[in-house]
Amino acid sequence: MAAAALTREGGEDAFRRLFRFYRQRDALDLRGVVDFSVPGSQVFRSQLSVSSVSDQDAYRAGLQPVSQWKAYGLNGYPGFIFIPNPFLPGCQRHWVKQCLKLYPQKPNVCNLDLHMAPEKTIDLWGQSTEQLRRKGSSKREPRSLLEKLRWVTLGYHYNWDTKKYSANHHTPFPSDLAFLSEQVAAACGFWGFQAQAGILNYYHFDSSLGIHVDESELDHSRPLLSFSFGQSSIFLLGGLKREEAPTAMFMHSGDIMVMSGFSRLLYHAVPRVLPNPEGTALPSCLDQALPSDLPVDSVIERSSDEDWQVCAKYLQSSRINMTIRQVLAEGQKFPEESGTNGKGQAASEDSHHQEDSRAKRHKPNLD
């Protein structure tokens, strides 16, 4: 297999070679991609801390009881945990709606803030709903503002220029997402995890995420949590150096990845977004209705049919990923910085999240 040959080849920047291989559109060989729904020799079952999360708290977060989750590890990647869709039926819809309707709202920051007047980005949802509902299959139709969304930052806002967080660029972290993250972290053995920063990435079929390491957080002892919704993708997990060839794996709607310990600072990337393997417009897990007996104190809110129609239309060609981090250890503070004013968000929209565009003759930066 071509991918296997590239993996064996090793040498200088083996990660980049495999990224290019999976990025290509024609005659793509996916036999070398790990699929956790049919675990193979490289995959083993991981133990979860079942007693750390009560069934009631799991239900409140829209999750199945932890005793019903399946969790896997990968040989050669200690600290990496893969949890195939542990969400209760219908509960993924809440997180999709939050990522499209609520989380992009001010005072949170998004890529559109870089080149649009503030009043233009106040209500991306309201400005996009009718356009999305009417949208057909023609690629010539102009994209709505929601479809132009590439990233949103929450809590401590990541500065794409300096690759740092700072104390003076912070907004309240969403309480529902913090609760979800705390339950998942506890189930994986990380009791007391504090969700302090989030980066939401919005992908289309022509999008990718470049090769990088998430090392800007001051506390690397806490895990990185990644949640995926919508269409599927190929995720590449490499080593401490780019010369080490990565392992490719599928991420499907509802899947959760946890990078901790040794795996916390490994190179990784998303070279490709793929249609969901069921062959339908949306994965079947997104067609399910919410259970009627959600706890009174659940963080999950029911979506109106009208709201979900907009979300479903968006997801037919898109994928949303939420990565949640703890930036500071307990009692830790940011070092003093000179010359910062908290306004220095990204000067380049695509420094981290790339998208092809023939119209702009934009060539994706594979790094």
Side-chain angles (χ1 to χ4, degrees):
M1 294 187 296
L6 284 170
T7 300
R8 289 193 299 270
E9 194 174 318
E12 185 178 359
D13 215 346
F15 199 128
R16 188 178 186 184
R17 284 201 302 274
L18 217 55
F19 185 100
R20 288 183 182 276
F21 175 81
Y22 285 114
R23 180 78 183 132
Q24 66 186 350
R25 293 281 185 282
D26 302 326
L28 190 59
D29 183 352
L30 299 180
R31 289 175 292 174
V33 182
V34 174
D35 188 343
F36 288 94
S37 65
V38 284
S41 59
Q42 194 176 357
V43 174
F44 59 90
R45 286 293 294 267
S46 286
Q47 295 298 313
L48 293 169
S49 182
V50 175
S51 61
S52 294
V53 180
S54 68
D55 289 357
Q56 180 72 8
D57 280 344
Y59 279 127
R60 284 185 60 204
L63 298 164
Q64 300 173 30
V66 177
S67 59
Q68 296 180 21
W69 298 10
K70 293 180 180 178
Y72 300 98
L74 276 175
N75 288 322
Y77 297 96
F80 176 78
I81 304 170
F82 192 101
I83 306 169
N85 185 15
F87 289 93
L88 288 167
C91 289
Q92 287 187 53
R93 291 187 174 191
H94 169 84
W95 303 108
V96 171
K97 185 190 73 173
Q98 297 297 78
C99 287
L100 291 175
K101 186 175 183 178
L102 182 66
Y103 298 157
Q105 292 181 10
K106 298 293 168 279
N108 297 330
V109 183
C110 73
N111 62 290
L112 298 178
D113 297 323
L114 306 182
H115 48 78
M116 294 181 67
E119 62 271 15
K120 298 289 187 181
T121 61
I122 290 176
D123 185 16
L124 303 181
W125 174 267
Q127 296 182 67
S128 304
T129 49
E130 280 308 313
Q131 191 175 348
L132 275 169
R133 285 194 187 100
R134 296 193 310 266
K135 197 169 184 67
S137 58
S138 172
K139 294 183 179 180
R140 295 184 177 181
E141 293 183 49
R143 284 183 168 178
S144 64
L145 287 180
L146 273 181
E147 291 170 295
K148 294 178 181 179
L149 199 58
R150 294 292 167 265
W151 52 259
V152 169
T153 53
L154 311 171
Y156 287 112
H157 294 282
Y158 185 71
N159 186 311
W160 305 88
D161 274 351
T162 64
K163 295 181 170 56
K164 291 181 180 180
Y165 301 94
S166 65
N168 56 4
H169 198 189
H170 175 269
T171 55
F173 194 93
S175 59
D176 57 348
L177 185 51
F179 186 77
L180 169 70
S181 303
E182 288 159 10
Q183 307 318 306
V184 171
C188 294
F190 296 96
W191 185 255
F193 175 84
Q194 299 176 49
Q196 296 175 334
I199 299 179
L200 316 180
N201 277 307
Y202 301 80
Y203 299 82
H204 305 296
F205 284 132
D206 50 1
S207 302
S208 65
L209 182 67
I211 305 166
H212 68 285
V213 176
D214 291 300
E215 58 186 356
S216 300
E217 296 73 31
L218 276 64
D219 182 12
H220 294 156
S221 69
R222 310 303 275 170
L224 177 75
L225 310 181
S226 173
F227 303 84
S228 286
F229 304 106
Q231 301 299 322
S232 300
S233 71
I234 295 174
F235 179 80
L236 298 179
L237 182 62
L240 294 171
K241 298 179 180 179
R242 287 172 53 135
E243 288 74 18
E244 300 177 48
T247 296
M249 62 197 80
F250 289 115
M251 288 192 73
H252 302 305
S253 192
D255 291 348
I256 301 173
M257 289 194 318
V258 178
M259 296 171 67
S260 67
F262 171 80
S263 294
R264 175 63 178 79
L265 295 175
L266 298 182
Y267 279 98
H268 54 279
V270 177
R272 184 80 180 274
V273 176
L274 300 166
N276 100 80
E278 297 168 314
T280 51
L282 289 181
S284 56
C285 58
L286 291 171
D287 288 333
Q288 299 168 309
L290 273 174
S292 57
D293 56 347
L294 282 174
V296 174
D297 55 353
S298 174
V299 302
I300 302 298
E301 299 173 349
R302 297 185 184 277
S303 298
S304 68
D305 289 342
E306 293 78 11
D307 280 359
W308 180 245
Q309 286 173 9
V310 175
C311 294
K313 195 75 169 183
Y314 176 91
L315 287 183
Q316 286 181 10
S317 59
S318 304
R319 168 182 177 256
I320 298 172
N321 179 257
M322 311 187 301
T323 58
I324 313 303
R325 308 107 188 281
Q326 178 170 334
V327 177
L328 301 167
E330 188 73 35
Q332 188 178 21
K333 294 183 179 180
F334 288 101
E336 291 292 330
E337 294 184 29
S338 60
T340 59
N341 59 9
K343 303 293 185 182
Q345 200 59 22
S348 170
E349 172 183 337
D350 291 325
S351 59
H352 193 54
H353 185 181
Q354 309 297 338
E355 179 171 9
D356 287 338
S357 172
R358 288 197 179 100
K360 295 182 180 179
R361 299 188 181 277
H362 173 65
K363 195 172 184 179
N365 178 354
L366 300 182
D367 297 313

